């Protein structure tokens, strides 16, 4: 039964091929059901201006509210969704929901901010991707510059398709960030060729900055390289004031992490935004 199977998660299964395959199918069936029954939900984490602390964006992070397993994190189902192709309808749902929510916040009179949405390569590289984004913006009434798409370096490996899509998206007016920057194996040459807006420094470099001189070197070098290429920088996983101070000193424009807020469900993040707005007005 689902309950018995639910005791284990995909990656914890014994490395037996038969088992892995059937577990993948199990998760696939469950995910299909989750999408249809509305068990998927978005949490939001603030992205903050490093110099004045104002909220400039919200990253949408998917969660699966499973009836028996409780809240399941994306690390436990995104890989299966990618392999099975379910990431395409799930990703469309995420984009639609995040854009619609950002418009609702604006209609509530909150200061306008971006919403950042994570994309899988498989979703991004589909032929009709730009058209889908355009349709969602049109339908939700969200202006394109209030949407940022986060892609990873691995998406760039298919250079030709990625560059076509990026050119279309730039034309449309949405922003593009490279997520987990510095952890992929792709060439840096795409940075000067493609129309990108922001590099997002991976958490693994930010995390140990206090102890690790090499992490500090990597972080300051990414920031200065980005600025030479006229790209903005956001650091993810900022947890301490020391980390924030280092990033400010090196003129990193934006920060995101537990120091400001964990990702929160809709109602909580909306209250958080309202409180922050009262503080500064
Ligand atoms: P990501 O996009 O790099 O997101 C950052 C992850 O770090 C999030 O984990 C976030 O909750 C966590 N995080 C943020 N600040 C801190 C911090 O200060 N300290 C620590 N320790 N962690 C922090 P989460 O929400 O579990 O998401 C994991 C990954 O799942 C994301 O990494 C992203 O690659 C993927 N993902 C999430 N939502 C979606 C989605 O809608 N579509 C796709 N394709 N992938 C998604
Ligand atoms: Mg992200
Ligand atoms: Mg990231
Ligand atoms: Mg990451």
């Amino acid at each position: 039964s689902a309950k018995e199977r639910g005791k284990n998660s995909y990656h914890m299964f014994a490395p037996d091929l038969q088992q892995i395959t059937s577990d993948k199918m199990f998760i696939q069936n469950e995910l299909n059901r989750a999408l249809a029954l509305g068990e998927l939900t978005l949490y939001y984490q603030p992205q903050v201006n490093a110099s004045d602390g104002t909220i400039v964006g919200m990253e949408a992070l998917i969660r699966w509210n499973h009836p028996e397993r409780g809240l399941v994190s994306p690390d436990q189902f995104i890989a299966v969704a990618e392999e099975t192709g379910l990431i395409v309808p799930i990703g469309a749902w995420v984009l639609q929901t995040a854009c619609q929510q950002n418009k609702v916040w604006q209609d509530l009179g909150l200061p306008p901010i971006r919403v950042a949405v994570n994309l899988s390569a498989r979703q991004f590289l589909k032929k009709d991707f730009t058209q889908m984004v355009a349709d969602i913006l049109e339908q939700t009434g969200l202006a394109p510059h209030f949407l940022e798409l986060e892609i990873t370096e691995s998406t760039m490996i298919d250079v030709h398709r990625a560059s076509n899509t990026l050119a279309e998206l730039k034309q449309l007016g949405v922003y593009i960030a490279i997520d987990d920057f510095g952890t992929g194996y792709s060439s840096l040459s795409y940075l000067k060729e493609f129309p990108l807006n922001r590099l997002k420094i991976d958490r693994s470099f930010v995390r140990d900055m206090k102890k690790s001189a090499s992490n500090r070197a990597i972080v300051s070098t990414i920031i200065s390289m980005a600025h030479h290429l006229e790209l903005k920088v956001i650091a993810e996983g900022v947890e301490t004031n020391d980390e924030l101070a280092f990033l400010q000193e090196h003129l990193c424009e934006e920060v995101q992490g537990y120091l400001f807020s964990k990702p929160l469900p809709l109602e909580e993040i909306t209250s958080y935004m309202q409180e922050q707005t009262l503080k500064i007005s």
Side-chain angles (χ1 to χ4, degrees), residues 59 118 150 179 200:
E59 180 175 5
N118 293 285
E150 295 192 359
D179 203 353
K200 193 162 186 182

Side-chain angles (χ1 to χ4, degrees), residues 10-78:
Y10 176 57
H11 63 279
M12 295 195 309
F13 269 89
D16 158 335
L17 249 181
Q18 184 81 45
Q19 187 66 73
I20 289 170
T21 309
S22 66
D23 194 52
K24 213 188 286 179
M25 286 177 66
F26 173 76
I27 297 181
Q28 181 181 3
N29 287 337
E30 286 271 285
L31 260 181
N32 247 321
R33 190 187 48 93
L35 190 59
L37 296 183
E39 290 173 12
L40 300 178
T41 184
L42 295 183
Y43 276 41
Y44 294 93
Q45 186 181 36
Q47 303 182 319
V48 171
N49 178 316
S51 50
D52 66 13
T54 55
I55 299 174
V56 290
M58 282 290 167
E59 180 175 5
L61 293 156
I62 197 170
R63 301 287 181 267
W64 178 1
N65 214 335
H66 192 281
E68 285 146 17
R69 299 190 203 191
L71 207 62
V72 182
S73 84
D75 293 332
Q76 292 183 269
F77 64 89
I78 289 292

Side-chain angles (χ1 to χ4, degrees), residues 44-55 57-58 206 234-241 243-245 247-248 253-264 269 272 275-276 279:
Y44 294 93
Q45 186 181 36
Q47 303 182 319
V48 171
N49 178 316
S51 50
D52 66 13
T54 55
I55 299 174
M58 282 290 167
V206 174
I234 182 166
E236 69 174 18
V238 179
E239 295 186 359
T240 69
N241 280 309
E243 289 160 0
L244 175 62
L247 293 160
Q248 287 171 325
E253 285 87 6
E254 296 177 7
V255 283
Q256 179 179 352
Y258 294 173
L259 181 61
F260 307 95
S261 170
K262 285 188 303 190
L264 295 173
I269 201 71
Y272 179 86
E275 283 164 30
Q276 295 298 309
K279 260 193 228 166

